[in-house]
Amino acid sequence: MNVTENQNGSALRGRVRAVVHGVAYGDALGAPVEKLSAAQIRERYGRVTSLRTKWHRDGQSEAARQGRVRGNGIVTDDTAMTLALMRIYQRELRHLDAWDMGNGMVREITWERYWVPELQREAPLIERLFYPEKWIFQRHQLSGCDPRQGGVGNMVNCGAAMYIAPIGIVNAGDPTAAYDEAINFAMGHQQSYGLEAAGVLAAAIAQAFIPGTTVEDIVRVAHDHAHDGTRDAIAAIADAAENLRRKGADADEVTAEFQSCIAPFSAMGDDLVHKPEKAGRASHAYQPSRLFSIEELPLALGFCITTGGNFKKAVEDGINSGRDTDSIGVMAGSILGALHGETIIDAEDAALLDSANKMNLKHLSDQFTQAVIQIHSKDMARAEQTAMTRRRLNEQTQKAAE
């Protein structure tokens, strides 16, 4: 399948740039309000529509902020780990599996030093990561587990899905291959519905590269590849989103309806802050279940529907819905970046993302694209060889039958 050009003629390189930009934009837009409820965001900000937004924790002590800074275009671990996965592909120039999580990702987060924007210094990324992502190091290096069992025992969350976009790109045009590779790789990090979400998001992004694809096609492919609670949650949100779009519901009404729909599948709620009062009381919201779903992915798909696939509005509606705002923004941004290509990239926003984070997203994207092209070339050669072998086997079978 030819995925080098989409329906409006944008090249693969431009679409990869758009996915990476979509990740960084959604991340940076949502980061200042992460863990606030939709009501708290409305009360404090009205509506967040600009990267030049002040972090809601600005003014707190450095200890309270854990030494971090956010706002005004600064990205978080969502983007940092996406870039780490891109670098693994650039080194290996092949498809990945759980052993690459145990080797490549452990090296990336633990033993390499990069500029960490939130810390405003070069450091191993693990110094910034949340515990479910530190689990990668603990399981693979400290415990020496079978790489395929790396995710077992981890807190179930969206941590693998938030950086999985590069797998969708590497498998552009083949959602099933994207799903399979994402599961094979991310099982070294996540389990249960957290792992499922990674596979489904990769499939959605791979579908978005197919010429002529619509938002409806992407949601259908996501639903059809999903299992258990993730599949049911996507169906519930998609049905609600279609009804809300037809009636022209405003963003606040959409948020309220979506959070009502997702409640049976996610017990996250509005209180995301880990604090002493919660000690010893593990929430069932983060435990394995055949019935649950992370909420970020179904919500991101829902906002893609209600906004008619409008990149900026989908990301803005997503992050203004509250809770895990940056990851919702990342997922909506990566899907619609893949769908629309470079047209979604605002020059001023791109410049701010680069300057605030001391990176060149265009250059990093183009380097990754070269790796993707090489992997695609190997895939096509392998497919041709397989087809030739099967033709010969079929010919031999027919001759034997005669």
Side-chain angles (χ1 to χ4, degrees):
M1 182 176 297
N2 179 13
V3 296
T4 59
E5 293 188 354
N6 73 349
Q7 57 269 34
N8 58 16
S10 62
L12 173 65
R13 181 177 288 104
R15 301 181 75 191
V16 174
R17 291 174 183 170
V19 174
V20 176
H21 175 84
V23 168
Y25 177 79
D27 187 10
L29 192 69
V33 295
E34 183 185 15
K35 296 189 177 180
L36 295 183
S37 68
Q40 289 170 325
I41 294 172
R42 282 195 301 270
E43 180 180 357
R44 188 180 184 103
Y45 297 92
R47 178 175 169 85
V48 175
T49 60
S50 170
L51 291 177
R52 297 186 182 276
T53 298
K54 186 176 180 181
W55 189 19
H56 74 90
R57 295 179 67 178
D58 278 358
Q60 295 182 1
S61 69
E62 184 174 357
R65 292 183 286 105
Q66 297 178 302
R68 301 176 190 172
V69 296
R70 285 189 180 184
N72 295 306
I74 289 177
V75 297
T76 76
D77 56 333
D78 296 49
T79 301
M81 293 194 70
T82 300
L83 297 176
L85 180 51
M86 289 163 55
R87 288 190 292 268
I88 296 171
Y89 273 118
Q90 287 164 224
R91 284 196 300 271
E92 300 298 333
L93 296 177
R94 59 169 172 75
H95 294 283
L96 305 180
D97 59 24
W99 275 261
D100 296 296
M101 180 70 76
N103 182 5
M105 191 58 84
V106 168
R107 290 177 181 272
E108 281 290 327
I109 67 173
T110 312
W111 303 114
E112 300 292 341
R113 298 177 71 89
Y114 300 101
W115 181 259
V116 181
E118 288 177 283
L119 301 180
Q120 291 292 287
R121 58 183 170 87
E122 284 194 357
L125 182 55
I126 199 168
E127 291 188 22
R128 160 57 187 87
L129 296 179
F130 188 37
Y131 296 107
E133 283 62 67
K134 291 179 178 178
W135 185 260
I136 298 169
F137 169 70
Q138 294 166 343
R139 284 287 284 163
H140 292 283
Q141 182 149 354
L142 299 187
S143 299
C145 68
D146 180 321
R148 292 164 296 192
Q149 298 176 349
V152 175
N154 200 357
M155 166 187 174
V156 183
N157 74 347
C158 76
M162 73 183 186
Y163 62 82
I164 213 70
I167 294 184
I169 297 171
V170 167
N171 292 280
D174 192 340
T176 299
Y179 176 89
D180 290 343
E181 185 167 347
I183 295 296
N184 286 337
F185 177 73
M187 69 171 61
H189 174 196
Q190 262 297 330
Q191 61 175 338
S192 190
Y193 55 94
L195 176 60
E196 183 67 11
V200 174
L201 180 56
I205 292 171
Q207 175 67 30
F209 276 84
I210 297 177
T213 289
T214 65
V215 169
E216 290 71 25
D217 293 331
I218 293 168
V219 175
R220 174 183 52 78
V221 164
H223 172 269
D224 291 351
H225 280 79
H227 299 84
D228 300 332
T230 302
R231 184 185 182 101
D232 293 341
I234 291 172
I237 291 290
D239 287 346
E242 287 290 352
N243 292 331
L244 291 163
R245 183 180 61 81
R246 282 195 292 267
K247 68 182 287 191
D250 63 27
D252 290 344
E253 185 178 354
V254 169
T255 292
E257 181 65 21
F258 279 4
Q259 292 186 348
S260 175
C261 287
I262 203 67
F265 308 100
S266 169
M268 179 183 286
D270 284 338
D271 184 8
L272 274 63
V273 178
H274 294 276
K275 48 196 173 185
E277 292 77 13
K278 294 182 178 180
R281 294 190 293 111
S283 170
H284 67 284
Y286 306 113
Q287 296 175 3
S289 171
R290 294 285 300 275
L291 304 178
F292 284 0
S293 168
I294 67 163
E295 62 180 54
E296 295 88 345
L297 175 57
L299 293 178
L301 291 167
F303 288 116
C304 289
I305 295 171
T306 55
T307 60
N310 182 292
F311 172 80
K312 292 202 85 168
K313 192 170 191 313
V315 174
E316 289 173 7
D317 285 2
I319 70 102
N320 281 282
S321 70
R323 301 178 180 174
D324 192 6
T325 51
D326 56 339
S327 294
I328 296 172
V330 162
M331 295 180 198
S334 60
I335 291 169
L336 295 179
L339 179 65
H340 297 306
E342 276 189 287
T343 58
I344 60 98
I345 301 177
D346 178 87
E348 183 178 345
D349 288 338
L352 177 58
L353 288 169
D354 282 354
S355 62
N357 299 290
K358 294 189 177 182
M359 63 177 63
N360 184 329
L361 284 175
K362 181 178 178 181
H363 177 66
L364 295 172
S365 299
D366 290 353
Q367 286 183 315
F368 177 55
T369 299
Q370 291 307 307
V372 171
I373 291 171
Q374 291 187 57
I375 296 169
H376 286 179
S377 295
K378 292 177 183 178
D379 287 347
M380 288 186 284
R382 186 164 52 250
E384 290 172 4
Q385 183 62 47
T386 299
M388 183 183 300
T389 300
R390 289 176 178 174
R391 281 196 300 270
R392 289 174 178 171
L393 288 170
N394 290 338
E395 290 169 0
Q396 292 170 359
T397 300
Q398 291 171 357
K399 288 181 181 179
E402 293 171 359

